[in-house]
Amino acid sequence: MKIIRATDYNDMSRKAANIISAQVILYPDSVLGLATGSTPLGVYRQLVDWFRKGDIDFSKVHSVNLDEYVGLAPEHPQSYHYYMNENFFRHINIKPENTNVPNGLAEDIDAECARYDKLIADLGGIDLQLLGIGHTGHIGFNEPDQDFDKMTHKVKLNQKTIEANARFFNSVDEVPKYAITMGIKAIMQAKKILLVANGEGKAEILDRALFGPVAPAVPASILQLHPDVTVVADEAALSVIQKNHPEAVM
Ligand code: PGA
């Protein structure tokens, strides 16, 4: 695992965007696994900027997003579909039909999960998966205390996650209670993983995820077993790791 230190949020965003950009330049038909949340916003902004300057071409890229709330339509401003369109897809030349987000409105959620896994398999798997990390150690919406061996499935959101995401809704009651998420097994099948983290609030969980025991209580800890993980984090998010494992940080 490579842990790359960034000075601040912008530096984290630029370094992570550089890794994605290199992937797309080297392999224009890459399948990118994409994430939502506050952390990757700067990464998308940077990629859009480079696209506008003519440095990256997304016309052959396919994307698959990690997760979506159950019950929110793609047009709902808090849906992850909407987030991806607004923050990334509509600013670049990726073909809309090449972008994929789980359908939170599917009548048969289990069938939707199976469709999503098949879609990823039919694309030949994910070449580079971008991940954030939740305060609970979740990746995608894989919350603590779940098994490690799930593919795409429906999850009940952890109360801490619901509270963390309430800032985007009018009230905590409006936050959906369920989501569809790629499972840990599906994430672990990605060929490369790029995890981004910023801010002091992530320092403790990042240390536990990368250096603690590998256990479903900290879902991101499974990444210790993946052969190709790069973590790009700012000084604040690395503060505990720098103290406990200074030799591990580049
Ligand atoms: P955040 O979310 O980027 O908004 O902190 C991370 C996550 O929940 O994966």
Side-chain angles (χ1 to χ4, degrees):
M1 180 178 300
K2 287 194 183 71
I3 304 178
I4 299 173
R5 176 176 42 222
T7 48
D8 55 19
Y9 180 75
N10 284 337
D11 190 35
M12 176 208 79
S13 301
R14 221 169 32 243
K15 285 187 159 76
N18 253 309
I19 292 168
I20 296 173
S21 166
Q23 172 75 31
V24 174
I25 290 169
L26 288 168
Y27 310 100
D29 58 351
S30 289
V31 177
L32 299 180
L34 298 177
T36 52
S38 314
T39 316
L41 280 173
V43 177
Y44 295 136
R45 243 187 331 259
Q46 181 63 75
L47 289 172
V48 168
D49 182 49
W50 286 334
F51 167 73
R52 287 187 176 139
K53 290 181 171 139
D55 292 339
I56 323 177
D57 175 13
F58 293 95
S59 61
K60 297 199 185 99
V61 166
H62 285 74
S63 72
V64 285
N65 261 77
L66 279 170
D67 46 15
E68 178 61 289
Y69 288 117
V70 168
L72 296 194
E75 306 76 38
H76 190 290
Q78 298 312 331
S79 77
Y80 288 165
H81 241 111
Y82 185 89
Y83 169 111
M84 289 310 300
N85 285 332
E86 284 306 300
N87 294 304
F88 198 35
F89 297 152
R90 74 182 181 86
H91 305 288
I92 60 172
N93 67 338
I94 194 166
K95 297 193 176 86
E97 64 272 26
N98 288 354
T99 67
N100 299 282
V101 181
N103 176 10
L105 287 186
E107 280 191 12
D108 183 342
I109 297 286
D110 288 342
E112 171 60 8
C113 294
R115 179 194 74 85
Y116 210 69
D117 285 333
K118 179 165 186 318
L119 179 151
I120 295 170
D122 289 348
L123 286 170
I126 296 167
D127 294 304
L128 176 63
Q129 176 67 57
L130 177 64
L131 294 177
I133 180 168
H135 292 96
T136 59
H138 74 199
I139 45 178
F141 268 138
N142 294 281
E143 299 284 16
D145 296 327
Q146 295 192 342
D147 307 329
F148 272 152
D149 62 354
K150 292 208 174 97
M151 296 297 284
T152 303
H153 62 288
K154 179 179 170 180
V155 279
K156 185 168 173 31
L157 299 182
N158 187 289
Q159 192 55 30
K160 213 167 163 185
T161 300
I162 291 175
E163 282 159 22
N165 291 0
R167 66 191 193 275
F168 302 114
F169 292 81
N170 291 325
S171 79
V172 72
D173 298 332
E174 281 184 23
V175 184
K177 306 290 181 284
Y178 292 91
I180 297 175
T181 185
M182 271 168 60
I184 293 288
K185 191 168 174 187
I187 293 170
M188 286 296 279
Q189 286 176 357
K191 290 164 198 128
K192 291 182 207 149
I193 300 226
L194 172 60
L195 185 139
V196 287
N198 76 291
E200 227 180 276
K202 298 286 172 69
E204 197 71 48
I205 194 66
L206 199 59
D207 182 54
R208 285 177 63 201
L210 305 186
F211 295 97
V214 176
V218 181
S221 65
I222 191 78
L223 298 176
Q224 294 179 40
L225 305 182
H226 190 284
D228 192 342
V229 176
T230 303
V231 177
V232 181
D234 72 352
E235 298 272 4
L238 285 175
S239 55
V240 175
I241 291 178
Q242 299 248 50
K243 210 159 42 197
N244 297 345
H245 313 276
E247 72 294 342
V249 180
M250 291 169 73

